[in-house]
Amino acid sequence: MSCSFFDTKPESKPDWKAYVLRELGQDAHRQAEAHLATCSICHEEVATLRLTLDTLSTLREEEMPRRIAFVSDKVFEPRWWQRVFSPTFAAGALVAAAILIHGLVGTGRTSQDQVDAAVTKAVSQMEARHVQEIQAMYEQLDVRNKQVANMYHNAVLSR
Amino acid sequence: MIFREVEDPDLIAKARRGDVEAYNLLVSRWEKRVFNYLLRLVSNREDAMDVSQDVFLKAYQSLPKLDDPARFSGWLFRIAHNEAFSLLRRKRPEAELAGEPRPADLNPRLLPIELSLAVETALGRLSPDQREAVLLKVYQGFKFEEMAEILECPVSTVKSRLYTALDLLKATLAPMHKTALRGES
């Protein structure tokens, strides 16, 4: 069933969806309201739209599994002694030591393959230490995330 | 009325100067809205959480490119939209295998939690574009023009998606409407 008033001039029929969504301009909104006051058919159409929006508004807002937070880069900047004992520095020192020992003790006939092997070994050791450090860092972050989530949860419960 | 000592543009200005705590405060104001928007789009809590983190990281990295801090919300949801649809495109084959969502069991006498689930199912029946239009308008309160900026499409497209979605939702949720009306009379 449609409104007989707008059957004769459909171009002037108000945009009811825009009306309930508060997207009509002031003049158009006033005209729409004036028509609604006199037309039961359009009134029902608008009522159904509003009911749909009301039903949609019952959708629960979900809590986040955990909060999002960023940490300043400065926290992760190592101190000078950490730099000295960092895996990268240690691996570099190992490579340098390997080359030096070969230079001092070696027969002078060290092949390129031996140098490459020493470098590969040092790099793999460095990478292994990196992996261990990153894993430890992730574990620490995970623990901190859980602590923050618990604090947040408790704070919500205590409200 | 909620009084805020520090407004979002102030926090954005501080975050741009490298103040991470200011950015964390900004995140705390928006994370739940962004998470819920993403949750309804990608339909998976872990994915929504991961994408939320990516969104705020990208937003932090792109803060210098934000022209007008007063339009932070639209800009943020634009990033969220891009990230969500990037994930949906990657997961499309998996989603197609999963098939159509099951129709909602619309028991006329629904408890609030059941009503909420019915709405969730009805939203799940919409196409991602239609669902997103409903999320941005009904749940996030953006104007048509803002939605057009977020979605990078004309206002007419925004209205078309939203209006089609509302017609579909109206039809799906009609049994509840009738019961509600009978209950009132």
Side-chain angles (χ1 to χ4, degrees), chain B residues 92-102 124:
Chain B
R92 186 171 285 166
E94 197 179 311
E96 281 170 359
L97 281 175
E100 290 289 310
R102 284 181 295 123

Side-chain angles (χ1 to χ4, degrees), chain B residues 89-141:
Chain B
R89 273 192 293 273
R90 287 200 302 274
K91 288 203 156 189
R92 186 171 285 166
E94 197 179 311
E96 281 170 359
L97 281 175
E100 290 289 310
R102 284 181 295 123
D105 178 18
L106 296 181
N107 185 325
R109 291 191 182 279
L110 293 172
L111 297 169
I113 180 77
E114 293 172 318
L115 192 61
S116 176
L117 286 172
V119 170
E120 199 173 327
T121 310
L123 285 171
R125 286 176 167 183
L126 303 176
S127 73
D129 286 339
Q130 291 165 348
R131 187 161 63 244
E132 187 175 34
V134 175
L135 295 173
L136 290 172
K137 183 68 201 170
V138 178
Y139 298 103
Q140 303 299 337

